[in-house]
Amino acid sequence: MTMAAKAVERYRGPEYRRLLQAARRRLEGNGGTLEGSIGVGDPDEAERKALIGITGRPRTAGTLARAARVLEFLTTRPEDDAEITLAGLAAKITGHPKTLDHPAGLSTLVLRALAIRAGVPAPGTAEERRELWDRYEVVVDDLASRILVLNLPAEGEGLGEWLTAAARFGTPFQVTLHQLGTFAITLRAPVVHVCENPAVLRRAAAELGPDCPPLVCTEGRPSTAFHRLAGTAVHGGARLRYHGDFDWPGVDMAGAVARRYGAEPWRMTAADYLAGLANLGDLLEGDEHLRLTGRPVPAPWDPALGDSMREKGIAVYEEAVAEPLLADLGG
């Protein structure tokens, strides 16, 4: 049973029934927004434990209302809205910059809800908390939010000079959100290729060196640093070409980057998926890691892609299709 299925099964118990009914009535009554709070009158012991299990500890109605306002802000703001710091978010919602710091109860409650919405486990370490906040473009640490780039020369003092020097030698370079906020740069590249896995960028650096066209790697889900750099590139006239994993999160990320920046999906068609599947060959036998899990996501640029992925039920990760990507970059 997948993690998502286990989560759904967990909340089928009778102790959650009244709470979920109250939540449904609230959502139906206010058009699906997260405004207001819900509760269960006269909870029995099982219901009380269930509520504590969701929130981590007993909560006051002030805490729950604040959490609802934080969630509404994060899940309804436009995709192209500027990032916000954790302290700025806390001050905006509660009037105090420290209320969302770990291990405050409000922080724990909001992160649990965001993890459920994203379909990931609740964060247990500082790095996992940073990554979850970053997924919603809330900046906890502008040094931890970064983007890996190869051959992306730029104009401007400091960062622009470093990027240009790195491109001259064809060496990968890590750019942090702190650098992007400190130094103003201008990018003039006509096309910037984007990949998801650093293994692709590493091979491009090794095999193509300074001759590789501009390439950036998200290293998983695009970070706030990626969004800042991508916006700068598009503003300078660049066209983005995006490639990611052939799994449902990968398709979801490709669609989000396409919507936000007008990016062109790069070798992300049904034909590319099936070719990658054929290349896996015997690796498919008994490898549960390659089974597609999670909610299917449409691919508007090629509806046949989603159909093929649902039919085959197999994920094709970027490393397995690196050859045609490198051929494009080398061409």
Side-chain angles (χ1 to χ4, degrees), residues 50-242:
L51 180 59
I52 294 174
I54 293 175
T55 62
R57 65 182 69 174
R59 307 292 180 188
T60 64
T63 302
L64 292 173
R66 285 178 169 183
R69 290 198 296 272
V70 172
L71 294 171
E72 182 177 27
F73 174 82
L74 294 178
T75 57
T76 61
R77 62 176 176 161
E79 276 190 339
D80 58 354
D81 200 5
E83 70 269 6
I84 189 171
T85 64
L86 185 64
L89 175 62
K92 182 180 181 70
I93 301 300
T94 71
H96 194 287
K98 299 290 188 182
T99 51
L100 285 171
D101 287 358
H102 181 77
L106 180 60
S107 172
T108 302
L109 180 58
V110 171
L111 285 172
R112 283 173 179 264
L114 292 178
I116 291 172
R117 187 176 192 273
V120 298
T125 66
E127 182 179 3
E128 289 172 349
R129 288 190 292 273
R130 281 198 306 269
E131 288 179 354
L132 186 54
W133 283 121
D134 201 51
R135 182 185 286 249
Y136 294 90
E137 293 191 57
V138 177
V139 180
V140 178
D141 183 350
D142 59 4
L143 294 176
S145 182
R146 58 188 184 270
I147 179 72
L148 181 63
V149 310
L150 176 66
N151 299 348
L152 190 66
E155 300 172 11
E157 294 184 348
L159 180 59
E161 296 169 327
W162 305 334
L163 286 168
T164 301
R168 188 165 65 250
F169 293 98
T171 187
F173 190 85
Q174 285 275 10
V175 180
T176 67
L177 183 61
H178 180 270
Q179 292 168 340
L180 291 167
T182 303
F183 301 100
I185 62 171
T186 302
L187 300 173
R188 302 296 188 192
V191 178
V192 176
H193 289 80
V194 183
C195 64
E196 183 180 339
N197 195 293
V200 175
L201 186 141
R202 186 178 295 109
R203 282 193 58 182
E207 298 178 24
L208 302 174
D211 295 327
C212 182
L215 176 65
V216 303
C217 177
T218 62
E219 298 185 271
R221 183 166 292 275
S223 64
T224 305
F226 166 79
H227 290 300
R228 179 76 70 88
L229 187 68
T232 301
V234 171
H235 182 74
R239 177 167 57 92
L240 302 187
R241 301 188 72 204
Y242 183 93

